[in-house]
Amino acid sequence: MNFFQTLGRHSLNLLQALGAISLFLLTIIRHSGTSLLRPRLTVRQIYFAGVLSILIVAVSGLFVGMVLGLQGYTQLAKFKSADALGFAVAAGLLRELGPVLAAILFASSAGSAMTSEIGLMKSTEQLEAMNVMAINPVSRVVAPRFWAGVISMPFLAAIFNVAGIAGAYFIGVKHLGLDGGIFWSQ
C-alpha cells in the first residue's frame, strides 16, 4: 500500500507543478499587451537574448555540420555512393538536430542570463519596488523576455542549420574532394 501512496503523492506533485507552470504561462500571455505596446523593451531583449547568441549557435552549427559531413561520408562510402551526402546532412539538421541543439544552446546561454538577471532583481527587491510603483513586474520584466525568446528562436535555428550545412560542405567538398554541384543538388 505504501507504493501506491508514494506514487499518488508524486503524481499529485507533478500535476501541481504543471498547473503552476501553466498558470504562469497564462499570466505572461495575459500581461503581454503592455510589453507589445512598448516594443523597445522587447527589441532590447531580442538583442540580448538572440543577437548575442548568434556566435555560439553559428560556431556550434558549423562544427556539428562538419562532424555530420564526415560521419555521413564514411557511412555512404561503405555503400560506394557518396552522392547523397548533402541530402543526408541537410535532412538530419533540418528535421531533428538543428532545432534541438539550437534550443539547447539558446536555453543555456540566453536562458541562464535571463534567469540570473531576474534572480538578481528579486534578491535586490527591485521587483517589489516595481509593485510599489504600480508597475506589474510580469509585464515589464518577464513578458519582454518571453517574447524575445519566441521571436529569436526560429532565427537561431535557421542560423544553426545554415552553418551546419556550410560545415558539411567544407568537409565534403573542400576536404574530401566531393563534387560541389552534386552536394548542392542533393
Side-chain angles (χ1 to χ4, degrees):
M1 193 65 176
N2 195 11
F3 169 75
F4 293 113
Q5 289 176 343
T6 305
L7 180 66
R9 186 176 337 104
H10 288 302
S11 299
L12 288 176
N13 288 340
L14 177 68
L15 287 175
Q16 183 180 10
L18 287 174
I21 291 169
S22 300
L23 288 175
F24 185 61
L25 179 64
L26 289 174
T27 304
I28 291 171
I29 292 172
R30 188 177 73 221
H31 292 290
S32 292
T34 307
S35 68
L36 295 177
L37 290 176
R38 293 183 173 177
R40 184 176 54 92
L41 297 172
T42 306
V43 169
R44 181 182 299 151
Q45 292 306 318
I46 288 172
Y47 174 75
F48 286 121
V51 174
L52 295 180
S53 299
I54 288 176
L55 183 64
I56 189 169
V57 167
V59 170
S60 298
L62 183 72
F63 286 115
V64 166
M66 288 178 172
V67 169
L68 284 178
L70 189 59
Q71 182 182 10
Y73 178 77
T74 58
Q75 292 296 321
L76 293 172
K78 289 180 184 177
F79 300 109
K80 308 292 188 269
S81 168
D83 296 341
L85 178 65
F87 175 74
V89 171
L93 278 173
L94 295 175
R95 289 182 189 163
E96 301 161 0
L97 204 53
V100 171
L101 285 178
I104 289 172
L105 290 169
F106 176 77
S108 65
S109 63
S112 62
M114 287 181 196
T115 304
S116 64
E117 186 179 9
I118 292 174
L120 182 65
M121 292 175 81
K122 177 74 174 169
S123 67
T124 57
E125 298 179 356
Q126 294 177 25
L127 299 177
E128 286 82 9
M130 286 183 184
N131 276 330
V132 169
M133 293 186 296
I135 298 172
N136 190 346
V138 174
S139 63
R140 178 76 180 182
V141 176
V142 179
R145 287 165 176 79
F146 172 77
W147 287 111
V150 168
I151 292 168
S152 62
M153 189 54 226
F155 294 113
L156 291 174
I159 289 169
F160 186 93
N161 290 335
V162 168
I165 292 171
Y169 175 81
F170 175 75
I171 289 294
V173 175
K174 301 294 183 188
H175 184 66
L176 298 174
L178 296 176
D179 185 41
I182 292 175
F183 181 88
W184 291 117
S185 69
Q186 295 294 327

